[in-house]
Amino acid sequence: MGVQGLASFLDKHQNIYREVRFGRSRLLVDGCNLNYLLYFSSGLDQNHGGEYAAYVTLVESFIAALRSCDITPYVVLDGGSDVTDKKLETAAKRREDRIRKAHEAAASGRTMCILPRMAELVFIQTLARLQVPVAQCFAEADQEIAALASEWRCPVLSNDSDFFVFDLPGGFLPISHFHWREVRQSGSRSSVSCRRYYTSSFCSFFGLRRQLLPAFAALAGNDYVKLRGIDWTRFVQAGTGTEACGRLEGLLCWLKGLQESRGPLEVLEEALGLLGDLSGDKRELLQNLRLGMEEYQLGRSALSRFFLHGAPPEFPALEQEAGLVPGWMLLPVTQARLSGNVLDVLRLLRMNLGFGIETQELPSANQTSRPLRQVMYGLLLGKDRSSPVVEFDRAGLGPISVPVEPTFTRTSQRLRLDSLPQVALSDRLNVLLEALGVTQESLRLLPPQLQLPAAVSCYWLQTAQPPPDLQRALLLGMSNTPRSTAAFQNKSGIQKVDVDVSHAFSQWQACLKDAAQLNQLLGLPLPEPDVSRLYQGTLVHQLVHRMRSGGKLKTVLRSDRPSEELYRSLLSVVRRIRTRRTRQTRQKAATRRQQNPPEPSADLQRLFLQDEETESEARAAVAMQEELRLQEELLQVRTRYRTKERSNRSKNPDLARKEECRGRDLL
């Protein structure tokens, strides 16, 4: 939620905090908050679509710093949206703000704090690989984090100002004052320098009764409650000696002046009296303030059993939602191995879409991957409940709501969501491949980890508008090792963002994200790729610039033989799939012409085009021969990849067993 202006207000009253050395403790981490703040505070590039490999290194360093101090982190993530729509107005305003910032970043090249599309998945994948306990809530995480922190009596790490209001026995550690890069050792112990906050310090400093702190938060205004029309600054007492006499200080002065017998509800009613005669609106405002105050009341934690025993929480479904979310989904959602977006589709028939760096003149990149989402909607809702799903997207600089119909592939039309775990792997794989328009045979020569990215790239090349010509740069960046990438980047400066190139790669990332979510829903019929190795924004933009300016890419290919072989494998597969799909398109067109003979004038026109078509077919045939010649080389690449994989598994059998069980555990 967030209390408006509270964090910056408290930074002016630093005596409230305690300077501490923190170590040897559990720590509840606000995962979504940490994801944003780590990326934005790192100086990593944002405007070229993300620097995911460097971000992985940053997350690894953060977790290593905690573990060196015997701090055990438990990361909790937001899941679906609030079903009561209390935050609908705030969410719409934030979407509008992100759209504007994304346009300004694309048009001016300025950094506007736009989180790259795949950063959250990279964050989750990295934590899983580091075996950090992660839980995804069914809705917003604030209350769940606070409830568990209260039960475990450990602090919370976040920058969300709501944690200044929750009464936490272990206190609250603001990330902005958590100096994890500066681990200090004293004897055999290491610790992190930080500031710890307690509500008791706040109430003592401002002379506020603790039971009125939730009322203060509700009256101050948050994402759920916005009380307009009261000028709190007129209650600031003269001679307080504070640096700023603002809205929050005036509110605190007003609360301090109330009689001690006043309870929280009486305080809310008296505050509304300051607004004068509101007739019927007064009752609605009072109800909203009461709900806002109740957000800070803590119940029992639903996550303790999951973190300690692996059992997912019970789904808090309303009566009208009974049966909408099948029981098998609860564990993968809680494990963050299934996106919280599926809950929004099932419960609210909505989908919140992200935004890349795009200008208002270009269409939303989300349009390219909409057919993939439609297949996912069909799986989630089925034919019996095939209602449109409202997607929150953009048109120009304005947010829009688009009703999108679910669709079904040849295989998915006979599947049911509640029995999806029992569906044969081959059928689940067919649903994914049919949605992407590729065949299993076309991908078989690639290493398993690259099959989904290759299929997504083929889908992107066929559906993106305008049609991209950037596949060589994308595949080259995808196949390069960190060593060869670093060697290239040291020789090339970062060019100004090309808006069209950025938009094309934003479309590819939208396709990858939606294909990955569909793959997760189907129980990973294709291995989930390590996203951090697939896309490095500045690198692929530099490769495009070099190609278009007449530069050669041989220097990149020569730097690393395995990368060269992998690149040729990817390029061959993508070309072969494109050739096959082009041939299918022509065959369909020929069939249509046979069924609907053209007019004589059209026949005459075809005579003039005949030579050009024959020449094009000849070029395609030569290309196919070249690709066939490369198949043996591709098979060798795949064999070497499998040999290395078997070697790694033999060295670490426990990790191998976990990877083999990953897809089965999901369903």
Side-chain angles (χ1 to χ4, degrees):
M1 296 181 292
V3 180
Q4 298 167 4
L6 182 56
S8 57
F9 173 71
L10 291 182
D11 281 342
K12 299 174 182 177
H13 302 281
Q14 297 186 13
N15 291 336
I16 290 177
Y17 297 104
R18 300 182 188 178
E19 299 286 344
V20 299
R21 308 292 309 175
F22 181 67
R24 289 197 176 186
S25 172
R26 287 174 171 171
L27 179 65
L28 265 295
V29 180
D30 181 347
C32 293
N33 207 265
L34 178 65
N35 180 35
Y36 276 84
L37 292 170
L38 271 184
Y39 199 98
F40 292 151
S41 65
S42 63
L44 295 177
D45 181 82
Q46 300 171 26
N47 290 3
H48 294 80
E51 292 296 328
Y52 297 127
Y55 185 46
V56 166
T57 302
L58 185 68
V59 176
E60 290 172 342
S61 299
F62 178 81
I63 298 300
L66 297 186
R67 287 175 169 168
S68 70
C69 301
D70 294 324
I71 299 170
T72 305
Y74 292 83
V75 179
V76 184
L77 302 165
D78 291 331
S81 303
D82 190 291
V83 295
T84 64
D85 283 346
K86 291 181 294 186
K87 202 175 176 181
L88 202 59
E89 181 184 347
T90 299
K93 191 172 182 179
R94 288 180 178 173
R95 266 195 305 275
E96 187 174 359
D97 188 52
R98 281 196 296 268
I99 292 169
R100 179 187 57 78
K101 287 182 176 179
H103 165 77
E104 187 172 343
S108 68
R110 293 172 54 197
T111 297
M112 300 299 298
C113 291
I114 303 296
L115 192 71
R117 283 182 184 268
M118 304 300 292
E120 183 178 13
L121 182 54
V122 170
F123 181 68
I124 293 171
Q125 287 184 337
T126 306
L127 294 178
R129 181 170 51 78
L130 296 174
Q131 299 184 333
V132 175
V134 176
Q136 181 175 240
C137 297
F138 297 139
E140 283 208 338
D142 290 1
Q143 274 191 314
E144 291 294 341
I145 294 172
L148 185 56
S150 179
E151 182 178 324
W152 284 359
R153 306 187 72 81
C154 70
V156 169
L157 182 69
S158 175
N159 253 19
D160 192 321
S161 56
D162 279 322
F163 291 107
F164 288 114
V165 182
F166 289 115
D167 191 10
L168 304 176
F172 169 47
L173 309 180
I175 296 178
S176 53
H177 301 300
F178 189 78
H179 305 295
W180 62 271
R181 297 180 186 271
E182 302 171 10
V183 172
R184 295 182 185 176
Q185 189 166 354
S186 177
S188 61
R189 296 187 179 184
S190 296
S191 59
V192 174
S193 174
C194 61
R195 290 179 178 176
R196 193 191 299 241
Y197 164 92
Y198 293 96
T199 54
S200 57
S201 298
F202 180 94
C203 294
S204 175
F205 186 86
F206 289 107
L208 182 71
R209 284 178 287 145
R210 184 176 296 188
Q211 63 267 33
L212 295 186
L213 189 54
F216 159 75
L219 291 170
N222 54 36
D223 290 344
Y224 291 143
V225 182
K226 293 177 174 58
L227 186 62
R228 303 179 179 92
I230 300 178
D231 180 16
W232 294 112
T233 59
R234 62 192 171 104
F235 297 103
V236 175
Q237 297 176 355
T240 57
T242 56
E243 180 181 350
C245 298
R247 175 178 58 89
L248 294 179
E249 188 168 350
L251 172 58
L252 287 166
C253 290
W254 179 78
L255 289 169
K256 185 178 179 180
L258 296 177
Q259 296 179 6
E260 290 197 8
S261 60
R262 299 293 178 90
L265 291 179
E266 293 175 296
V267 168
L268 297 183
E269 291 177 350
E270 186 157 340
L272 290 182
L274 300 174
L275 291 171
D277 183 19
L278 294 175
S279 61
D281 292 339
K282 188 172 182 179
R283 184 178 301 133
E284 182 180 353
L285 275 173
L286 181 61
Q287 177 65 14
N288 289 339
L289 288 170
R290 290 179 61 181
L291 290 174
M293 190 171 63
E294 289 172 4
E295 292 293 330
Y296 301 103
Q297 305 303 313
L298 300 180
R300 288 183 57 83
S301 167
L303 294 179
S304 179
R305 194 170 62 129
F306 170 73
F307 277 130
L308 298 179
H309 306 292
E314 294 182 3
F315 194 75
L318 304 174
E319 183 178 350
Q320 62 269 29
E321 296 181 322
L324 294 182
V325 181
W328 69 263
M329 273 191 176
L330 301 185
L331 182 59
V333 168
T334 308
Q335 292 172 327
R337 293 164 62 182
L338 193 58
S339 170
N341 288 334
V342 301
L343 300 179
D344 285 355
V345 175
L346 289 170
R347 304 174 75 192
L348 300 169
L349 295 175
R350 293 178 191 160
M351 173 64 86
N352 289 299
L353 304 177
F355 302 103
I357 304 299
E358 306 166 15
T359 63
Q360 61 177 331
E361 292 81 16
L362 294 168
S364 168
N366 296 314
Q367 294 181 18
T368 305
S369 57
R370 182 174 292 161
L372 299 178
R373 296 193 297 276
Q374 288 178 281
V375 173
M376 184 172 74
Y377 302 155
L379 279 171
L380 290 170
L381 301 176
K383 289 190 172 182
D384 297 335
R385 192 185 168 217
S386 189
S387 305
V389 175
V390 176
E391 293 188 343
F392 294 113
D393 205 348
R394 72 166 182 88
L397 285 179
I400 58 171
S401 305
V402 184
V404 176
E405 295 288 341
T407 61
F408 301 88
T409 70
R410 187 179 70 254
T411 304
S412 71
Q413 62 185 344
R414 52 186 173 82
L415 304 183
R416 293 181 57 86
L417 181 64
D418 55 1
S419 60
L420 196 56
Q422 287 77 47
V423 173
L425 176 64
S426 58
D427 285 339
R428 288 184 276 122
L429 177 60
N430 282 339
V431 174
L432 180 62
L433 297 180
E434 287 165 2
L436 290 168
V438 300
T439 63
Q440 187 175 6
E441 176 66 19
S442 63
L443 301 174
R444 68 180 181 84
L445 293 175
L446 287 175
Q449 282 280 321
L450 288 177
Q451 290 180 357
L452 182 61
V456 167
S457 299
C458 294
Y459 172 89
W460 168 68
L461 289 169
Q462 295 292 326
T463 58
Q465 293 298 327
D469 62 346
L470 312 172
Q471 65 268 23
R472 289 180 61 205
L474 178 66
L475 298 179
L476 190 58
M478 194 185 299
S479 59
N480 264 260
T481 64
R483 179 169 62 86
S484 60
T485 298
F488 178 73
Q489 286 182 312
N490 286 338
K491 298 177 182 178
S492 304
I494 299 176
Q495 305 295 323
K496 186 176 183 295
V497 177
D498 185 307
V499 173
D500 293 328
V501 173
S502 179
H503 184 258
F505 286 137
S506 183
Q507 289 176 313
W508 180 81
Q509 289 204 58
C511 294
L512 180 63
K513 183 176 182 178
D514 290 330
Q517 291 190 359
L518 179 59
N519 190 40
Q520 289 177 341
L521 178 61
L522 291 165
L524 304 183
L526 287 180
E528 186 167 84
D530 180 355
V531 176
S532 67
R533 297 184 62 87
L534 300 180
Y535 184 87
Q536 312 307 326
T538 54
L539 172 66
V540 294
H541 277 256
Q542 288 169 17
L543 291 172
V544 171
H545 175 74
R546 174 171 287 201
M547 291 165 54
R548 289 182 171 178
S549 59
K552 301 295 183 182
L553 301 181
K554 292 181 179 179
T555 55
V556 184
L557 292 173
R558 281 203 200 104
S559 62
D560 191 0
R561 178 68 179 175
S563 295
E564 179 182 354
E565 293 175 347
L566 197 55
Y567 165 71
R568 294 190 184 281
S569 301
L570 285 165
L571 186 60
S572 178
V573 167
V574 170
R575 281 178 172 173
R576 184 161 57 252
I577 293 173
R578 289 191 73 186
T579 301
R580 178 180 59 80
R581 293 185 67 168
T582 300
R583 187 181 299 111
Q584 290 174 346
T585 301
R586 287 177 175 171
Q587 288 173 349
K588 290 178 181 178
T591 302
R592 286 195 297 270
R593 284 197 298 267
Q594 291 174 0
Q595 295 172 348
N596 303 287
E599 298 296 327
S601 58
D603 281 334
L604 185 61
Q605 185 179 12
R606 286 180 60 230
L607 289 175
F608 287 101
L609 295 175
Q610 200 169 42
D611 289 342
E612 182 180 345
E613 290 181 356
T614 302
E615 182 182 351
S616 178
E617 288 287 352
R619 285 198 301 268
V622 171
M624 284 297 295
Q625 290 294 327
E626 177 64 17
E627 288 162 10
L628 289 173
R629 183 184 67 79
L630 289 173
Q631 282 190 10
E632 187 164 339
E633 181 182 348
L634 302 181
L635 186 58
Q636 292 173 358
V637 172
R638 182 184 175 92
T639 302
R640 282 196 295 274
Y641 184 93
R642 285 182 168 175
T643 301
K644 181 179 179 181
E645 188 177 30
R646 284 195 297 270
S647 175
N648 290 337
R649 287 171 177 267
S650 66
K651 293 176 183 176
N652 195 341
D654 291 338
L655 180 60
R657 282 194 294 272
K658 289 178 182 178
E659 289 177 347
E660 289 169 359
C661 293
R662 182 173 172 84
R664 291 196 296 273
D665 288 345
L666 178 57
L667 296 178

